[in-house]
Amino acid sequence: MSVSYTVIAYSSAGTRLSYSDDMLSLDCTRAVNGIDIFNLTYLTTANSVQYLVAGSIVEVYRQDPDAGIASYREFSGIVREIVRTVTDTDTTAIRAVGFTALLADRIVAYRAGVANRSTFSAVPAETVLKTLFDYNLGANATTGNGRLLSGVLTGATTAATTGAGNVISIACHADNLLSAMQVVQEVGGGDFDVIYTAPATYTFTWYLGQRGTDRSASVIFSIPNGSIGQVTTTYSAITDTTAAIVGGQGEGVDRVYAVRPAVPPTGLSLRESWVDARNSTTLAEYQQRGDIALEEATRARSRIDVVVVQTQSLRYGRDYFLGDLVSISVDGVLYTRKIASVAIRVGTDGSENIDVGLISQ
């Protein structure tokens, strides 16, 4: 195989320090709206190891000229773990996390009930996400704006909101920032990411619809064309939920409740779950929490899992990318799926294995 990877190391301030392609092995897992993780192993004597210290920045570029894949950036992130192992050889393993991890470093550090800081009522999803970013990580994350401690990260920016996405209501006081954003994304009508755009510059980006491109008309995975190695269809109601009882604020007989859906099923079709929403304050917020729980149950109930195979005609990094919409063909029926995760493993022999994770869109 002609696939190759190049690692560029930078200081935390963005100064370029080294290039390397002499890794013993590498693997990465990338996820839409989640934290990318990249693992690299070197001989400890490799020149680049001295620069891959905690807090340094790495970019990883992938190319495969024989397959028509030009060099592109597969990963960028921050070194967070270093493990040196000495046996008959001396190796150093480096683990870096993608810049979405910056969101997981913060909580929504405003008092409960503060409008457009810790609670949002009927606000477009893009506006909610960018406000949460700016006031917990960006230039407005100051105690002067009511944050419980300064969370400003120099270089953390976001473009002005266009008010895109579905209108939502949510309360997220003291929630982990990334977790709060993931809840918004579930019903928001788009994806998000934190992109390393320049030295010490991290841009929060909203993608209306999906992060990638809609390629569902041109990228079709199927067993006949060799791009699917296995199909598993599952219907499971073992842990199913068809109605959510949402507990809001208050105690005892004074506690506020909401039921979703508005007209729940009955008899054998009624399978209840409890959603604790005491952090929320309005009926719309309670209803949204219940709707999210039911949407997750719906996705889990009926599932089509496929094993995607890299072929000459359909190849990751050339024909489709993380976040794209694609199609899978099962028994002649097309289903639209989002490429939600990609896991890459390159062994010591240079062989590359790619696992593609698909979810319902």
Side-chain angles (χ1 to χ4, degrees):
M1 295 180 66
S2 63
V3 63
S4 63
Y5 289 80
T6 301
V7 177
I8 305 176
Y10 302 83
S11 70
S12 58
T15 302
R16 187 177 299 172
L17 300 175
S18 71
Y19 290 82
S20 63
D21 59 5
D22 55 348
M23 302 78 68
L24 297 177
S25 65
L26 67 84
D27 66 80
C28 75
T29 302
R30 303 189 59 205
V32 176
N33 307 309
I35 299 175
D36 298 342
I37 298 175
F38 215 102
N39 298 304
L40 301 159
T41 304
Y42 292 85
L43 287 174
T44 300
T45 53
N47 182 64
S48 289
V49 170
Q50 63 185 306
Y51 301 113
L52 293 167
V53 298
S56 61
I57 307 299
V58 293
E59 290 184 310
V60 182
Y61 288 82
R62 174 179 181 258
Q63 65 175 346
D64 189 348
D66 288 352
I69 301 175
S71 178
Y72 72 96
R73 189 173 71 182
E74 180 65 48
F75 172 87
S76 61
I78 312 166
V79 174
R80 288 275 174 92
E81 183 176 273
I82 303 166
V83 178
R84 181 179 177 182
T85 303
V86 180
T87 55
D88 54 333
T89 58
D90 187 346
T91 61
T92 297
I94 309 294
R95 170 166 289 189
V97 295
F99 288 104
T100 306
L102 296 174
L103 304 176
D105 293 342
R106 297 286 191 276
I107 66 170
V108 181
Y110 291 85
R111 298 182 186 278
V114 180
N116 299 318
R117 298 293 180 269
S118 61
T119 185
F120 298 83
S121 180
V123 179
E126 180 192 6
T127 302
V128 173
L129 290 171
K130 288 184 173 180
T131 300
L132 286 170
F133 180 87
D134 191 33
Y135 281 85
N136 289 283
L137 200 69
N140 282 317
T142 64
T143 54
N145 282 327
R147 201 169 192 273
L148 298 177
L149 75 163
S150 176
V152 175
L153 175 66
T154 301
T157 64
T158 183
T161 180
T162 64
N166 300 326
V167 172
I168 70 166
S169 297
I170 185 174
C172 49
H173 157 69
D175 287 352
N176 179 270
L177 180 60
L178 176 58
S179 297
M181 288 183 164
Q182 289 171 333
V183 170
V184 173
Q185 184 276 327
E186 280 286 335
V187 291
D191 293 326
F192 65 84
D193 202 355
V194 179
I195 306 297
Y196 180 69
T197 54
T201 303
Y202 321 97
T203 303
F204 180 82
T205 306
W206 157 266
Y207 306 89
L208 181 64
Q210 72 281 329
R211 171 178 175 162
T213 301
D214 186 348
R215 305 179 195 272
S216 58
S218 59
V219 177
I220 302 175
F221 298 111
S222 70
I223 287 182
N225 69 19
S227 58
I228 291 180
Q230 177 179 300
V231 178
T232 304
T233 59
T234 304
Y235 173 83
S236 177
I238 297 297
T239 59
D240 200 12
T241 293
T242 60
I245 300 174
V246 184
Q249 293 194 342
E251 296 182 3
V253 296
D254 295 323
R255 189 165 189 182
V256 180
Y257 296 89
V259 173
R260 303 302 289 168
V263 181
T266 60
L268 294 177
S269 297
L270 177 60
R271 304 190 67 179
E272 301 170 344
S273 66
W274 169 258
V275 178
D276 190 342
R278 71 185 72 192
N279 196 26
S280 301
T281 58
T282 68
L283 178 60
E285 292 167 2
Y286 302 149
Q287 292 173 337
Q288 193 120 58
R289 290 286 299 274
D291 290 343
I292 290 172
L294 293 178
E295 174 63 25
E296 291 171 348
T298 298
R299 288 185 180 182
R301 190 179 305 135
S302 296
R303 205 170 67 245
I304 302 175
D305 297 311
V306 302
V307 176
V308 174
V309 177
Q310 299 297 303
T311 68
Q312 291 298 322
S313 59
L314 288 176
R315 196 173 289 273
Y316 172 70
R318 184 191 67 192
D319 305 302
Y320 58 90
F321 302 85
L322 184 72
D324 284 353
L325 296 186
V326 297
S327 293
I328 59 174
S329 176
V330 180
D331 295 331
V333 179
L334 292 181
Y335 301 88
T336 300
R337 293 292 185 267
K338 181 195 292 184
I339 298 178
S341 65
V342 175
I344 301 175
R345 292 181 297 278
V346 178
T348 55
D349 62 353
S351 61
E352 182 186 57
N353 181 269
I354 299 176
D355 292 328
V356 177
L358 306 175
I359 63 170
S360 299
Q361 171 63 4

